[in-house]
């Protein structure tokens, strides 16, 4: 692409600017720019179209910068703009805003209209790095942060950004490593029948057992696994593992224990999800498997996902609505989706001390009865909470009062002793 530096000539130029900067005590800024969702265009419209768009973007970048500025394409949809004459951060913001405005301008190409956005990260020599590699890396880190904050924006590199991004990158490595080496493990937490006090089911909850970091709880890695889609292979492993456990329990006293697994909304991005669930569960009685979903699953692609959920249910697997009461439009989901169980979020259980505190839960139980749904109270920690739930005929509970999530062997012992 004419007028644009390639990676090699960019590095050469940056090295030159760095020696000049050392000599004259000059500063300069680099902007790392990555197009948002470009992969979607490439996938849906083809590479030829993608290339045309990249040419268009190159022209825009040249237009929005000054002759002394350097515009370079690093490869893919990544660009770097160098501002050799750094004056102050306000000036850089002006440039970045101008780039953003130019890029956001809708344009037509082969009769299709496009609007492009990009995420940008800014690093300044020598403050954010005194060599090419470090400057590019830190501008890239700032760009990553700007993507994370919702795209179509920019971020200056800072130590705080560096730290959070490094931690995320480290966690991504840990997850990848754990998938390869089988460091994941399912723990099981009992679901107890409130009237009889018997363990009747359990929820499988994932743990990452890293040889160096120890046991890592899901809140530290699930969102990262969702972000980089490793939740898809991980989610498959979870289904297979829970099914294997159900099979192991088939000829034991735990043969009637129903096992719930959690499904992330991101797993629905896998167009093969339904086929996979079907094939992985062929060898068990599917009524022994339950899938817990939160409302957030239906935030995107409502109709498509609802179809998949209905087909999962048709296979004979039951469905639970997880964290009930924390969403915003919870009730409307109940009529569309063929749920079997409502799990009342721990937040509501935390607040019950006397009978007066039960009105909300009582109402939920009433609705559940009308719709023929089971109700599970989550996060029950005290005998007092349990007594109150018993009085209003809540069916099951889950919580530390009975047990924390434990490995399968310990769950078996709990069950036998129960
Ligand atoms: P969740 O599905 O709502 O799971 C219940 C969480 O509450 C579990 O945390 C459980 O250990 C905790 N809990 C249960 N009883 C009590 C109690 O009495 N007191 C307190 N303080 N906590 C209690 P955990 O295992 O850390 O999981 C957190 C979240 O991570 C889960 O929330 C779920 O959203 C996600 N998660 C866990 N395992 C998986 C998985 O296999 N797949 C997916 N996609 N998400 C998972
Ligand atoms: Ca759950
Ligand atoms: Ca829950």
């Amino acid at each position: 692409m004419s007028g644009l530096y390639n990676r090699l000539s960019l590095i050469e130029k940056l090295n030159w600017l760095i020696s000049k900067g050392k000599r004259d005590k000059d500063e300069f800024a680099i902007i790392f720019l990555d197009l948002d969702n470009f992969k979607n265009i490439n996938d849906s419209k083809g590479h030829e179209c993608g290339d045309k768009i990249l040419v268009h973007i190159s022209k825009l970048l040249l237009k929005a910068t000054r002759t002394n500025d350097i515009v370079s394409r690093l490869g893919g949809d990544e660009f770097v703009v160098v501002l050799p004459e750094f004056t102050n951060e306000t000036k850089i913001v002006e440039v970045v805003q101008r780039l953003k405005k130019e890029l956001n301008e809708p344009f037509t190409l082969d009769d299709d209209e496009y609007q492009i956005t990009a995420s940008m990260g800014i690093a300044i020599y020598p403050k954010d790095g005194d060599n090419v590699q470090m400057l590019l890396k830190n501008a890239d880190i700032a760009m990553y942060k700007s993507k994370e904050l919702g795209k179509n924006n920019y971020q200056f590199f800072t130590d705080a950004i560096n730290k959070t991004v490094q931690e995320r990158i480290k966690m991504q490595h840990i997850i990848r490593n754990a998938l390869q080496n089988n460091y994941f493990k399912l723990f099981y937490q009992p679901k107890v029948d409130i009237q009889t006090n018997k363990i009747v089911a359990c929820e499988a909850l994932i743990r990452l057992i890293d040889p160096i970091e120890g046991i890592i709880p899901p809140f530290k890695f699930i969102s990262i696994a969702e972000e980089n889609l490793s939740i898809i292979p991980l989610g498959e492993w979870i289904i297979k593992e829970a099914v294997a456990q159900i099979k192991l329990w088939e000829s034991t006293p735990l043969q009637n224990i129903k096992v719930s697994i959690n499904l992330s909304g991101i797993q629905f991005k896998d167009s093969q999800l339904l086929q996979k669930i079907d094939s992985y569960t062929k060898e068990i009685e599917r009524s022994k498997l339950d899938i817990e979903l939160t409302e957030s699953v239906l935030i995107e692609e409502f109709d498509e996902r609802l179809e998949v959920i209905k087909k999962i249910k048709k296979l004979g697997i039951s469905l639970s609505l997880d964290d009930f009461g924390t969403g915003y439009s919870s009730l409307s989901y109940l009529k569309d989706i063929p749920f079997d169980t409502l799990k009342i979020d721990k937040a509501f259980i935390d607040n019950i001390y006397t009978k007066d505190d039960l009105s909300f839960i009582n109402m939920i139980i009433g609705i559940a009865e009308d719709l023929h749904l089971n109700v599970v109270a989550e996060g029950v920690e005290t005998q007092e909470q349990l007594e109150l739930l018993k009085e209003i005929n809540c069916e099951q509970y889950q919580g530390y009062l009975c047990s924390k999530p434990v490995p399968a062997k310990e769950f078996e012992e709990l069950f036998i002793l129960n």
Side-chain angles (χ1 to χ4, degrees), residues 119-159:
S119 300
M120 295 178 256
I122 303 152
I124 293 159
Y125 169 88
K127 176 171 87 63
D128 300 330
D130 62 0
N131 60 68
V132 173
Q133 201 196 358
M134 202 160 160
L135 279 171
L136 284 174
K137 182 176 135 247
N138 289 346
D140 188 15
I141 284 174
M143 183 282 292
Y144 188 96
K145 183 70 187 177
S146 133
K147 285 242 188 247
E148 202 182 288
L149 291 175
K151 304 181 177 169
N152 197 22
N153 226 321
Y154 64 90
Q155 284 287 315
F156 281 91
F157 175 80
T158 65
D159 287 339

Side-chain angles (χ1 to χ4, degrees), residues 163-224:
K163 191 158 171 277
T164 56
V165 170
Q166 295 301 343
E167 275 167 9
R168 289 187 97 76
I169 291 172
K170 183 176 166 199
M171 191 52 79
Q172 289 176 353
H173 284 299
I174 292 179
I175 295 170
R176 216 170 298 136
N177 188 32
L179 273 171
Q180 275 166 7
N181 295 300
N182 207 5
Y183 290 155
F184 288 102
K185 195 169 159 83
L186 287 184
F187 277 29
Y188 298 87
Q189 186 178 36
K191 291 185 183 174
V192 183
D193 182 308
I194 292 183
Q195 300 306 324
T196 63
N197 216 17
K198 291 285 167 212
I199 296 174
V200 288
C202 63
E203 176 176 4
L205 293 151
I206 186 111
R207 301 291 180 261
L208 196 172
I209 303 176
D210 184 82
I212 296 162
E213 308 284 325
I215 298 191
I216 306 176
F219 80 89
K220 288 205 177 146
F221 66 84
I222 293 282
S223 63
I224 295 171

Side-chain angles (χ1 to χ4, degrees), residues 331-381:
L331 290 175
S332 64
Y333 287 86
L334 293 178
K335 61 172 177 34
D336 289 325
I337 310 170
F339 282 116
D340 301 276
T341 303
L342 280 188
K343 299 190 74 182
I344 305 178
D345 193 73
K346 179 176 186 299
F348 299 98
I349 310 301
D350 285 344
N351 290 325
I352 55 170
Y353 301 101
T354 70
K355 266 191 146 166
D356 296 342
D357 302 326
L358 288 171
S359 52
F360 179 76
I361 297 176
N362 230 338
M363 182 191 82
I364 295 175
I365 291 176
I367 296 170
E369 261 169 19
D370 287 346
L371 296 166
H372 307 289
L373 301 172
N374 302 317
V375 177
V376 178
E378 294 194 271
V380 175
E381 294 181 345

Side-chain angles (χ1 to χ4, degrees), residues 22 27 34 78 85 87 92 118 134 160-161 165 207 222 259 269 297 312 320 348 350 352 355 358 368 378 401 418:
K22 280 203 175 112
E27 294 174 273
D34 186 294
E78 292 177 342
E85 288 143 44
T87 40
I92 301 178
M134 202 160 160
I161 287 179
V165 170
R207 301 291 180 261
I222 293 282
V259 179
K269 288 194 193 289
V297 165
I312 293 176
S320 296
F348 299 98
D350 285 344
I352 55 170
K355 266 191 146 166
L358 288 171
E378 294 194 271
L401 178 62
N418 174 236

Side-chain angles (χ1 to χ4, degrees), residues 185-187 189 203-207 217-219 221-222 226 231 234-235 237-238 261-265 267 292 294 322-323 343 345-346 350 378-382 385 398-405:
K185 195 169 159 83
L186 287 184
F187 277 29
Q189 186 178 36
E203 176 176 4
L205 293 151
I206 186 111
R207 301 291 180 261
F219 80 89
F221 66 84
I222 293 282
E226 288 178 333
I231 192 73
L234 176 56
W237 179 85
I238 292 167
I261 55 171
N262 293 280
L263 216 64
S264 155
Q267 291 178 256
E292 298 192 4
T294 60
D322 206 351
D323 304 342
K343 299 190 74 182
D345 193 73
K346 179 176 186 299
D350 285 344
E378 294 194 271
V380 175
E381 294 181 345
T382 68
Q385 290 169 338
Q398 201 181 328
Y400 292 175
L401 178 62
C402 173
S403 169
K404 288 190 176 193

Side-chain angles (χ1 to χ4, degrees), residues 268-279:
F268 286 83
K269 288 194 193 289
D270 174 7
S271 60
Q272 300 297 304
L273 177 67
L274 177 70
Q275 286 88 325
K276 285 175 183 169
I277 292 179
D278 181 21
S279 81

